[in-house]
């Protein structure tokens, strides 16, 4: 399912996941994705989502539509495309196609293959994702497919996100640097993650959400 994240001055202000259908974007509150700015038309653009094909169309010629730096009236959307409406930027992501980065990147699976195999079949909770909210990889979405995933770097703090039958939980494996959940120190507790929670570790801010 595509996810649209709205940024203003490099700060994420809103995000939403959409299924098949038409997504209207504009200043008016009746839109599926509303952006409160006079630089955005009351009904600025529409995205047509049909399975794995997504297209966008400009609906007001007086308000430009810029996709990946190009001024367009219509176009197809692909993962990590940027849509500029006035002073706001929307990052388009297709969460199904995003894979975890290789080892030594920000996410590294623990060496618990045998444990994963034993409990994978018993876990049917929706797949979770982390969206990077700052830095050079802003907007990138990382899927948490394994029952246990480690996040961070040795010396700067390491946390563990575990997939359980009643949800996803986060706890500290190694202290160091700033580790917080929704601006509160994580400390030595195991806390359940909820949609739109913000994790900060090693100066990286990530937003948690479920498919």
């Amino acid at each position: 399912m595509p996810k649209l994240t709205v940024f203003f001055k490099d700060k994420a202000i809103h995000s939403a996941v959409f299924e098949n259908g038409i997504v209207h974007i504009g200043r008016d509150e009746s839109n599926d994705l509303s952006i409160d700015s006079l630089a955005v038309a009351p009904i600025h653009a529409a995205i047509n989502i049909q399975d794995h094909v997504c297209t966008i169309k400009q609906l007001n010629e007086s308000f430009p539509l810029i996709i990946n730096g190009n001024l367009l009236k219509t176009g197809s959307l692909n993962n990590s495309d940027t849509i500029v409406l006035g002073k706001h930027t929307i990052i388009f992501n297709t969460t199904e196609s995003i894979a975890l980065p290789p080892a030594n990147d920000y996410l590294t699976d623990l060496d618990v293959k045998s444990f994963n195999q034993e409990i994978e079949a018993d876990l049917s909770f929706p797949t979770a994702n982390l969206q990077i909210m700052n830095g050079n990889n802003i907007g990138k979405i990382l899927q948490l497919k394994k029952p246990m995933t480690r996040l961070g770097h040795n010396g700067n703090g390491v946390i563990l996100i575990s997939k359980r039958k009643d949800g996803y939980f986060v706890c500290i494996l190694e202290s160091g640097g700033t580790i917080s959940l929704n601006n509160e120190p994580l400390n030595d507790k195991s806390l359940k993650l909820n949609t739109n929670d913000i994790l900060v570790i090693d100066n990286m801010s990530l937003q948690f959400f479920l498919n």
Side-chain angles (χ1 to χ4, degrees):
M1 292 182 290
K3 181 183 183 184
L4 300 175
T5 305
V6 182
F7 291 84
F8 181 71
K9 293 183 178 180
D10 295 327
K11 181 180 180 181
I13 60 174
H14 179 66
S15 63
V17 177
F18 296 95
E19 298 181 352
N20 284 353
I22 305 295
V23 178
H24 288 94
I25 306 172
R27 184 172 72 244
D28 194 273
E29 294 182 355
S30 64
N31 289 282
D32 302 292
L33 190 65
S34 178
I35 300 175
D36 185 15
S37 171
L38 293 177
V40 176
I43 303 178
H44 200 123
I47 296 176
N48 185 8
I49 303 171
Q50 295 297 331
D51 296 325
H52 300 295
V53 178
C54 298
T55 58
I56 188 169
K57 181 179 181 181
Q58 179 185 9
L59 297 180
N60 191 318
E61 293 187 356
S62 300
F63 291 81
L65 176 66
I66 301 172
I67 303 174
N68 297 330
N70 299 312
L71 188 64
L72 300 175
K73 292 186 177 181
T74 61
S76 60
L77 291 175
N78 299 296
N79 185 58
S80 298
D81 280 352
T82 59
I83 305 164
V84 176
L85 307 181
K87 296 181 179 180
H88 289 73
T89 299
I90 301 173
I91 294 181
F92 174 88
N93 287 110
T94 53
T95 58
E96 292 86 352
S97 63
I98 303 299
L100 286 174
N104 300 323
D105 206 334
Y106 283 98
L107 289 177
T108 305
D109 291 330
L110 288 176
D111 186 17
V112 289
K113 290 183 179 180
S114 59
F115 177 70
N116 288 348
Q117 291 172 354
E118 292 177 5
I119 66 175
E120 186 77 49
D122 296 329
L123 297 174
S124 58
F125 208 76
T127 301
N129 307 273
L130 292 171
Q131 183 170 33
I132 300 174
M133 309 304 283
N134 62 350
N136 294 332
N137 293 312
I138 188 170
K140 184 177 181 181
I141 291 179
L142 308 171
Q143 283 191 340
L144 305 178
K145 293 183 178 181
K146 297 294 184 180
M148 302 181 75
T149 302
R150 188 175 64 184
L151 169 65
H153 290 116
N154 294 332
N156 293 323
V158 179
I159 63 174
L160 178 71
I161 297 177
S162 58
K163 182 180 179 182
R164 306 176 188 173
K165 289 184 178 180
D166 52 347
Y168 289 80
F169 289 78
V170 60
C171 64
I172 291 181
L173 287 182
E174 179 185 314
S175 300
T178 300
I179 303 177
S180 66
L181 176 64
N182 298 326
N183 295 320
E184 295 291 335
L186 193 56
N187 297 324
D188 296 325
K189 298 178 291 184
S190 178
L191 299 176
K192 185 176 181 180
L193 292 170
N194 299 299
T195 295
N196 295 328
D197 278 354
I198 299 294
L199 278 166
V200 175
I201 182 167
D202 196 14
N203 296 318
M204 175 170 284
S205 179
L206 305 112
Q207 184 182 52
F208 174 87
F209 69 98
L210 297 172
N211 276 358

